[in-house]
Amino acid sequence: MSTPQTDTPFFANYINGEWVGSSKTFENRNPANTDEVVGLFAKGSAADVEAAAQAAAAALPGWAGMPAPARGNILFKAADILEKKFDRLGAEMTREEGKTLPEAKGEVRRAINIFRYFGGEGSRLNGVMVPSERERVHVFAIRKPIGVVGLVTPWNFPIAIPAWKMAPALICGNTIIVKPASVSPLCSWRIVEALHEAGVPKGVVNFVAGSGGELGEALVKAGPLKAISFTGSNEIGNWIHAEASKRRLRIQLEMGGKNPTIVLADADLKSAVENVANAAFFSTGQKCTATSRAVVEDGIYDQFVEALVERTKKLKVGDGMKAGIDIGPCVEKSQLDTVLRYIEIGKKECGAPKCGGNRLTGDGYDKGYFVEPTIFADVQPEHTIAREEIFGPVLAIQRAKDFEDAMRLANNTPFGLSSSIQTTNLSRAMDYVYRAEAGLLTINLPSAGVEYQLPFGGTKDSSFGPKEQGPAALDFYSDFKTVYMKY
Ligand code: NAP
């Protein structure tokens, strides 16, 4: 492999069990301090994607033919290797993505748990066995892998999302090509490194970092590819859908959201405020399941807004490596610019924010992409910040006359990823469960914060295809083969 002469750590691509350099490289920088280069990465090309696809195709029969519990053992080993690097992985994530160290470590823990969970699936991988209608006929269905799978991941959960695609794909016997987000490729590189150290056979796992446009197109067109799992923006997801459908690739898309939290007048005020502050602002609002709209019933509206503004003003923004920081920077300059642009639109359409509304400057802020957590109140359904995904620490509060009005406002979006309700009324909570138009619901919890052992994904324009995580993930990464046998 060709390694550039520099003190900055260099990370090569991984194709057919080899670390592969490139004449072109790209950097990822710390969004809390852009003077700091976290790593230098080999910039992969369309030819690298094609080589990875050929390697994955060649490795498929061996990997698919290995007993699933043996595949599981490799996943368990990779989990143990990640566990040994736990502190380092957390720090690397904070440095490349910006979220606070406790949040980053929580995400590393989740990735390790995901590898253990799907390692265990190796001993289950259940098919279907039911009685036949006919005498002396035995019927059953077994799971088989779908083949070479492309995994395209976003920057905001740089280790958990790659983990929740890679682990189920591998346990089902598929071979994979991972294309990480260019702003935060290091965390998924570490998973690939762990799988390499765990002894995954050559060609089973391939990793190509570089420009999404070039690599994405090469991936969708790669001859051996049978499926693609993508998490990211609607714009790119829709493009993948259009291109991949031409070849009838199996597709799984997890995309944007405009997630509401309903606060009913009977809610526990303190807990509702804490849950909304957490869901709207932690991880800098850069969670796909973050709350970007609070829909608040008239009876509690003024109290709620006042208490939430007071709570939000106490949140500490800064370098996520420092103790006591609640909110890190936006991940990159273009994301900061997007957030600031929406804040300006909000000021024009809805008036002055109740708090925040500015980029943070001065000591400790000038070298990073920091923005104040911002709350707009009395936002109307037609206002831009009530309709479009911002993906930053900006909350739009909408007033609802009653429960019916709250349900109408909450569902008034083309998106349907997550949704939350804060209430002490069980009947209302159950009404909400049946009527909320979202794939992930929470009751008296923040809208963000999911667990790996349950199905994950949205509805409406947020998602397409089978769900991720938990047992549902197996339905995307495997196919059934049904057998009828006379004896
Ligand atoms: P993005 O710009 O769509 O990028 C996602 C991935 O796609 C990156 O790896 C990117 O590579 C790659 N890509 C870019 N152009 C491509 C193309 N033509 N073909 C194939 N891949 C291409 O999204 P993002 O900015 O990273 O992430 C933020 C978005 O993700 C938000 O909308 C958020 O809601 C969504 N998200 C959704 C979920 C969910 O579960 N629903 C979870 C997390 C995030 P480069 O980085 O090289 O451009």
Side-chain angles (χ1 to χ4, degrees):
M1 121 180 146
S2 70
T3 309
Q5 299 306 301
T6 155
D7 292 339
T8 308
F10 174 70
F11 301 95
N13 288 321
Y14 185 67
I15 300 170
N16 203 22
E18 305 281 338
W19 298 105
V20 181
S22 166
S23 54
K24 292 185 187 160
T25 57
F26 68 98
E27 305 168 336
N28 66 343
R29 283 180 182 259
N30 182 343
N33 173 11
T34 53
D35 284 350
E36 185 189 334
V37 181
V38 178
L40 199 59
F41 287 79
K43 189 169 185 188
S45 63
D48 290 322
V49 170
E50 185 54 30
Q54 294 303 335
L60 186 64
W63 183 247
M66 184 187 278
R71 295 197 294 262
N73 284 340
I74 293 179
L75 267 55
F76 287 136
K77 267 191 210 159
D80 291 346
I81 292 164
L82 293 171
E83 181 92 59
K84 286 199 185 103
K85 297 177 183 170
F86 180 80
D87 287 332
R88 176 179 174 184
L89 292 171
E92 283 180 344
M93 192 188 306
T94 296
R95 287 172 60 226
E96 81 166 348
E97 201 274 349
K99 64 183 66 178
T100 66
L101 194 55
E103 286 175 323
K105 285 187 176 176
E107 192 185 327
V108 174
R109 170 62 50 215
R110 177 136 56 116
I112 293 167
N113 289 344
I114 287 168
F115 267 83
R116 295 206 168 118
Y117 174 85
F118 284 106
E121 276 302 319
S123 317
R124 290 183 288 269
L125 272 190
N126 61 320
V128 180
M129 216 189 66
V130 288
S132 169
E133 291 182 321
R134 290 168 278 180
E135 274 184 28
R136 300 188 68 75
V137 170
H138 185 62
V139 290
F140 60 100
I142 55 167
R143 283 187 191 272
K144 65 179 191 66
I146 40 181
V148 178
V149 182
L151 308 175
V152 182
T153 59
W155 47 260
N156 66 328
F157 284 101
I159 200 163
I161 293 180
W164 83 51
K165 293 187 192 297
M166 292 165 78
L170 291 171
I171 203 63
C172 287
N174 304 288
T175 56
I176 59 174
I177 305 160
V178 181
K179 152 65 187 107
S182 295
V183 257
S184 58
L186 178 52
C187 292
S188 48
W189 191 94
R190 289 286 181 214
I191 301 182
V192 173
E193 178 190 50
L195 283 161
H196 172 73
E197 289 173 11
V200 75
K202 71 173 192 167
V204 170
V205 174
N206 302 276
F207 173 94
V208 186
S211 150
E214 181 183 351
L215 303 190
E217 182 154 4
L219 196 58
V220 171
K221 290 190 173 149
L225 205 79
K226 288 285 179 281
I228 188 156
S229 175
F230 165 86
T231 302
S233 62
N234 281 66
E235 184 195 351
I236 306 296
N238 290 341
W239 179 83
I240 289 180
H241 181 263
E243 291 303 308
S245 298
K246 290 181 193 160
R247 294 183 53 199
R248 292 186 304 281
L249 295 183
R250 185 177 287 203
I251 314 167
Q252 179 180 58
L253 307 171
E254 285 302 335
M255 301 172 287
K258 192 69 199 170
N259 312 310
T261 291
I262 295 174
V263 182
L264 293 185
D266 59 47
D268 175 329
L269 179 66
K270 197 161 167 257
S271 137
V273 165
E274 212 46 51
N275 289 338
V276 172
N278 175 308
F281 302 128
F282 285 26
S283 298
T284 325
Q286 297 177 143
K287 290 177 183 165
C288 46
T289 48
T291 288
S292 60
R293 294 181 295 140
V295 178
V296 185
E297 200 177 355
D298 228 358
I300 200 173
Y301 188 90
D302 293 335
Q303 272 170 287
F304 176 83
V305 173
E306 190 186 331
L308 184 67
V309 168
E310 197 181 312
R311 173 74 182 100
T312 303
K313 283 179 177 168
K314 289 189 184 131
L315 294 173
K316 289 198 174 60
V317 183
D319 182 344
M321 290 298 280
K322 293 189 181 146
I325 293 297
D326 299 301
I327 301 175
C330 295
V331 74
E332 61 175 340
K333 174 76 168 52
S334 66
Q335 195 61 37
L336 172 73
D337 291 343
T338 302
V339 171
L340 294 174
R341 184 166 58 78
Y342 275 110
I343 288 175
E344 287 315 308
I345 293 172
K347 286 176 182 170
K348 277 201 195 92
E349 293 185 354
C350 322
K354 292 282 175 191
C355 64
N358 300 296
R359 179 175 184 173
L360 283 157
T361 51
D363 206 18
Y365 292 127
D366 280 345
K367 289 184 176 170
Y369 305 130
F370 298 100
V371 64
E372 292 173 327
T374 300
I375 297 176
F376 287 96
D378 295 320
V379 177
Q380 301 303 311
E382 64 276 14
H383 288 155
T384 310
I385 61 166
R387 292 185 291 109
E388 295 182 12
E389 184 181 48
I390 302 173
F391 223 51
V394 181
L395 179 71
I397 303 185
Q398 300 179 267
R399 189 189 287 266
K401 287 197 280 292
D402 51 23
F403 173 69
E404 285 303 322
D405 195 33
M407 286 305 305
R408 186 183 59 78
L409 287 167
N411 286 337
N412 182 22
T413 168
F415 296 109
L417 187 54
S418 78
S419 170
S420 176
I421 192 166
Q422 311 292 311
T423 180
T424 51
N425 183 321
L426 183 59
S427 294
R428 288 269 155 82
M430 285 310 293
D431 269 350
Y432 162 82
V433 165
Y434 283 100
R435 291 169 56 191
E437 295 171 3
L440 300 160
L441 307 182
T442 72
I443 300 165
N444 297 327
L445 286 168
S447 66
V450 299
E451 300 184 27
Y452 55 87
Q453 68 276 34
L454 291 141
F456 172 91
T459 182
K460 293 162 79 175
D461 286 357
S462 290
S463 302
F464 180 82
K467 296 276 184 269
E468 301 205 83
Q469 305 197 62
L474 305 180
D475 291 337
F476 178 72
Y477 291 107
S478 68
D479 234 344
F480 282 116
K481 193 181 274 187
T482 306
V483 183
Y484 297 84
M485 183 175 74
K486 175 84 178 161
Y487 62 95

